[in-house]
Amino acid sequence: MLLGVNIDHIATLRNARGGIEPSIIKGAEIAEQNGAASITTHLREDRRHIKNEDVYTLINTLKTRLNLEMAMADDIQKIALEINPHSICLVPEKRQEVTTEGGLDVAGQLDKVTEFIKPLLDAGILVSLFIDPDEEQVRASAKTGAQFIEMHTGTYSECFGYEDEEAEFQKLKKSAELAQSLGLKVNAGHGLNYENVHRMHEIDGLYELNIGHSIISRAIFTGLPEAVSKMKELIL
Ligand code: PXP
């Protein structure tokens, strides 16, 4: 299983001050140097974390692959076609949401999704559809021409350690098996953390996990001792 690191929340922190620190380029570089197989960023319609210039810079500086998360928006499709990332992951997007709240309804808008991803596929960009672990959505995804699905692990993650964990986990396992039998490659992500990620090993053939929040959160505390002691040293 490969690890894709989502660096959006480095940009969230940077944007809180409107400056250039912390640098997402440096963040991506550190992730790559420590085993990330790809870097994910979500260019949201409201540009709340990643900005246009970030993706134009990332595409030239990454040593691995850029996986661009995006909604079905024409202006973002245009940027994707300009920068030509290794892959895109199509997600639903609501302006008011704190993070991507549910999977893309591929079954309910099969023609629209198929048409939207066509120019991206024609340009040689790999396409992944971020869907809930649901049979109808998996079957619909297989009809679009996309090569990948990314299973939304948010509900599993929320239920981890509670009564519904097993049922939610089985939905992921069954969906992955079905998707693979239909010729799709399977990624997973959202809400995965240091406690719940181990069960992903129980799903055969998962290709990549895309993880952001828990990694950036942990990095604050693993990095804080050095950051404080260095500043203390400077002001002694
Ligand atoms: N995959 C997708 C499609 C996402 O939208 C997100 C969140 O931006 C993630 C993975 C990563 O989720 P988390 O930040 O909870 O690890």
Side-chain angles (χ1 to χ4, degrees), residues 6 8 42 69 89 91 99-100 130 150 189-192 210-213:
N6 181 313
D8 290 346
H42 184 174
E69 277 181 25
C89 181
V91 300
T99 181
T100 314
F130 185 56
E150 179 169 325
H190 211 288
L192 294 175
N210 288 316
I211 306 180
H213 190 81

Side-chain angles (χ1 to χ4, degrees), residues 13-214:
L13 188 57
R14 175 197 64 187
N15 297 354
R17 279 290 173 96
I20 55 166
E21 209 182 37
S23 156
I24 58 149
I25 304 304
K26 184 81 190 153
E29 193 185 10
I30 293 171
E32 289 182 323
Q33 284 165 354
N34 288 281
S38 69
I39 299 297
T40 295
T41 54
H42 184 174
L43 189 60
R44 294 186 71 98
E45 287 181 72
D46 62 9
R47 307 297 197 272
R48 74 172 69 146
H49 34 57
I50 294 295
K51 314 261 185 216
N52 289 12
E53 54 270 31
D54 292 329
V55 293
Y56 285 99
T57 311
L58 278 169
I59 197 74
N60 291 317
T61 51
L62 289 187
K63 303 273 183 300
T64 58
R65 308 180 255 117
L66 177 63
N67 175 41
L68 184 69
E69 277 181 25
M70 54 184 278
M72 280 198 285
D74 290 342
D75 62 323
I76 305 204
Q77 185 195 55
K78 192 164 165 265
I79 293 171
L81 288 168
E82 261 173 49
I83 64 167
N84 209 30
H86 183 266
S87 58
I88 68 103
C89 181
L90 205 60
V91 300
E93 199 175 298
K94 295 187 213 107
R95 260 168 207 272
Q96 297 79 5
E97 69 191 359
V98 177
T99 181
T100 314
E101 280 167 5
L104 185 69
D105 179 15
V106 181
Q109 44 183 349
L110 186 56
D111 291 345
K112 189 176 169 196
V113 172
T114 306
E115 210 173 293
F116 184 84
I117 66 174
K118 184 155 190 322
L120 299 160
L121 290 167
D122 288 347
I125 300 168
L126 295 175
V127 173
S128 177
L129 304 175
F130 185 56
I131 57 167
D132 291 326
D134 170 86
E135 180 177 343
E136 198 189 2
Q137 298 298 341
V138 174
R139 289 194 185 281
S141 298
K143 293 180 186 153
T144 60
Q147 299 96 335
F148 284 80
I149 56 164
E150 179 169 325
M151 297 191 299
H152 195 319
T153 48
T155 310
Y156 157 75
S157 299
E158 274 168 25
C159 294
F160 184 78
Y162 294 98
E163 205 185 326
D164 292 339
E165 174 189 326
E166 196 52 36
E168 290 304 325
F169 176 75
Q170 289 304 328
K171 285 184 197 168
L172 293 169
K173 197 170 162 64
K174 282 206 183 89
S175 296
E177 282 165 8
L178 175 63
Q180 286 160 354
S181 76
L182 296 169
L184 291 161
K185 293 202 178 89
V186 183
N187 296 334
H190 211 288
L192 294 175
N193 63 29
Y194 294 84
E195 280 76 47
N196 64 32
V197 74
H198 67 90
R199 293 210 69 183
M200 297 301 111
H201 286 295
E202 296 173 46
I203 302 176
D204 284 340
L206 271 189
Y207 184 74
E208 189 164 66
L209 301 180
N210 288 316
I211 306 180
H213 190 81
S214 62

